[in-house]
């Protein structure tokens, strides 16, 4: 009897000891400063916020990077507990957003259209070829793509896309502002490039999602809401700026009128 109770106790201890260890699956894309989960050191702002949450909650996170299309499948199989980044507005053929639990935004990506400074405000009809990361959905360009007004040039990495724009083999690149700036700064021979606010752009929340761990998602939400100073300091450390602030800055620099700023259709 005692031996049986001892075995049950060992099983209970083992279960509770591993209950707060989770695997986060992320896109295997170098999307720094937002994320680069293949990096052995600094994995970006999303990782930094999750690590701050880990320190506060005691949960332990390990990170796996994999192709975009595999992420949802691995979560469905139970091989990963969470996916980052995710968003209920993103379409995938594997999981249903209504069945998933989403955190509030860890950070927000400013996705838009980069051009050379000389081409700012030339209008959407000037864009015939646009570079875009492989696997990304051309949401803001889909109508023009369907009408054969543009051609999407898929790129496997950031540097390749910026190089195409530098050589004028594409007219623009659809990318994230902070990521584009980071790689431009790392490669001063490339650029400068400008986020053209007269062309399609938007701000997208990057969230953590899960099919099974609603309680942890709610804990994360409480941590973000209750610790604005910590979250703001992390975002500041990575240079994350809001779309509103960027719009004001670019509008002033290039004398763009309010009526010319692109608005979602």
């Amino acid at each position: 009897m005692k031996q049986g109770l001892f075995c049950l106790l060992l099983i209970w201890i083992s279960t509770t000891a591993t209950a707060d260890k989770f695997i986060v699956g992320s896109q295997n894309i170098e999307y720094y400063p937002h994320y680069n989960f293949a990096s052995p050191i600094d994995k970006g702002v999303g990782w930094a916020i999750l690590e701050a949450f880990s320190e506060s909650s005691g949960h332990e996170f390990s990170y796996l990077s994999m192709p975009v299309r595999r992420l949802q499948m691995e979560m469905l199989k139970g091989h990963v507990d969470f996916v980052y980044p995710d968003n209920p507005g993103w379409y995938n053929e594997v999981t249903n957003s209504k069945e998933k639990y989403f955190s509030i935004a860890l950070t927000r990506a400013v996705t838009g259209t980069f051009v050379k400074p000389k081409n700012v405000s030339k209008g959407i009809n000037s864009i015939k070829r646009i570079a875009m990361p492989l696997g990304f959905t051309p949401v803001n360009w889909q109508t023009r793509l369907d009408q054969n007004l543009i051609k999407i040039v898929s790129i496997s990495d950031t540097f390749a896309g910026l190089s195409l724009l530098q050589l004028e083999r594409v007219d623009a690149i659809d990318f994230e502002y902070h990521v584009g700036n980071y790689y431009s700064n790392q490669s001063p021979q490339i650029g400068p490039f400008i986020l053209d606010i007269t062309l399609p752009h938007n701000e997208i929340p990057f969230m953590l999602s899960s099919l099974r761990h609603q309680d942890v998602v709610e804990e994360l939400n409480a941590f973000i809401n209750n610790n604005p100073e910590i979250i703001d300091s992390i975002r500041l450390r990575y240079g994350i700026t809001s779309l509103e602030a960027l719009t004001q800055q670019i509008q002033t620099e290039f004398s763009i009128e309010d009526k010319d700023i692109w608005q979602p259709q």
Side-chain angles (χ1 to χ4, degrees):
M1 182 66 177
K2 288 183 178 179
Q3 185 176 0
L5 288 173
F6 179 70
C7 289
L8 288 173
L9 180 61
L10 284 179
I11 293 172
W12 179 81
I13 291 172
S14 174
T15 302
T16 55
T18 58
D20 59 354
K21 293 182 180 180
F22 303 103
I23 297 175
V24 179
S26 182
Q27 300 171 357
N28 63 343
I29 298 172
E30 293 186 15
Y31 216 65
Y32 195 87
H34 280 291
Y35 57 89
N36 178 9
F37 283 86
S39 171
I41 306 173
D42 186 350
K43 303 180 189 298
V45 62
W47 163 81
I49 291 174
L50 287 175
E51 288 298 281
F53 171 57
S54 173
E55 185 176 346
S56 172
S57 65
H59 296 312
E60 295 181 30
F61 298 103
S62 57
Y63 304 91
L64 291 177
S65 59
M66 62 189 69
V68 175
R69 294 174 183 175
R70 273 189 56 198
L71 282 173
Q72 303 294 334
M73 181 62 72
E74 296 303 318
M75 182 164 65
L76 185 63
K77 292 177 180 178
H79 295 167
V80 301
D81 301 295
F82 302 96
V83 164
Y84 181 84
D86 206 347
N87 185 292
W90 295 347
Y91 172 77
N92 73 81
E93 299 175 349
V94 180
T95 56
N96 188 328
S97 292
K98 294 180 180 179
E99 298 173 351
K100 290 191 285 188
Y101 305 105
F102 290 90
S103 73
I104 58 178
L106 276 67
T107 187
R108 294 177 183 272
V110 178
T111 302
T113 309
F114 283 81
V115 299
K116 288 189 169 183
K118 66 179 181 179
N119 293 326
V120 172
S121 297
K122 281 194 173 181
I124 200 166
N125 291 327
S126 68
I127 308 300
K128 305 298 182 183
R129 292 169 58 86
I130 183 166
M132 186 172 296
L134 183 67
F136 282 39
T137 303
V139 176
N140 291 325
W141 294 93
Q142 192 63 55
T143 300
R144 298 186 69 80
L145 184 63
D146 293 341
Q147 296 171 351
N148 294 317
L149 296 174
I150 63 165
K151 179 178 179 179
I152 300 294
V153 178
S154 296
I155 54 174
S156 58
D157 62 74
T158 306
F159 186 80
L162 295 176
S163 296
L164 288 175
L165 183 54
Q166 175 77 12
L167 296 171
E168 299 188 354
R169 293 177 181 171
V170 295
D171 303 305
I173 177 173
D174 186 90
F175 215 63
E176 205 282 331
Y177 173 83
H178 303 92
V179 179
N181 268 6
Y182 173 77
Y183 282 94
S184 293
N185 292 335
Q186 295 296 306
S187 306
Q189 74 275 18
I190 293 181
F193 306 120
I194 304 298
L195 176 67
D196 191 341
I197 57 175
T198 69
L199 296 174
H201 63 277
N202 54 5
E203 194 169 41
I204 304 170
F206 276 1
M207 306 171 178
L208 190 76
S209 71
S210 180
L211 283 168
R212 300 171 178 85
H213 302 290
Q214 180 182 10
D215 54 339
V216 179
V217 171
E218 290 176 350
E219 283 185 64
L220 174 60
N221 288 346
F223 172 76
I224 294 173
N225 284 328
N226 295 333
N227 295 277
E229 292 183 357
I230 293 176
I231 303 303
D232 288 346
S233 68
I234 292 174
R235 291 172 181 166
L236 181 63
R237 186 166 83 235
Y238 285 90
I240 305 299
T241 308
S242 70
L243 176 58
E244 181 181 4
L246 287 173
T247 298
Q248 293 176 353
Q249 173 188 327
I250 295 168
Q251 187 175 8
T252 300
E253 182 177 353
F254 288 89
S255 301
I256 297 172
E257 297 183 20
D258 289 344
K259 66 179 179 63
D260 295 324
I261 297 175
W262 181 83
Q263 298 294 332
Q265 302 300 314

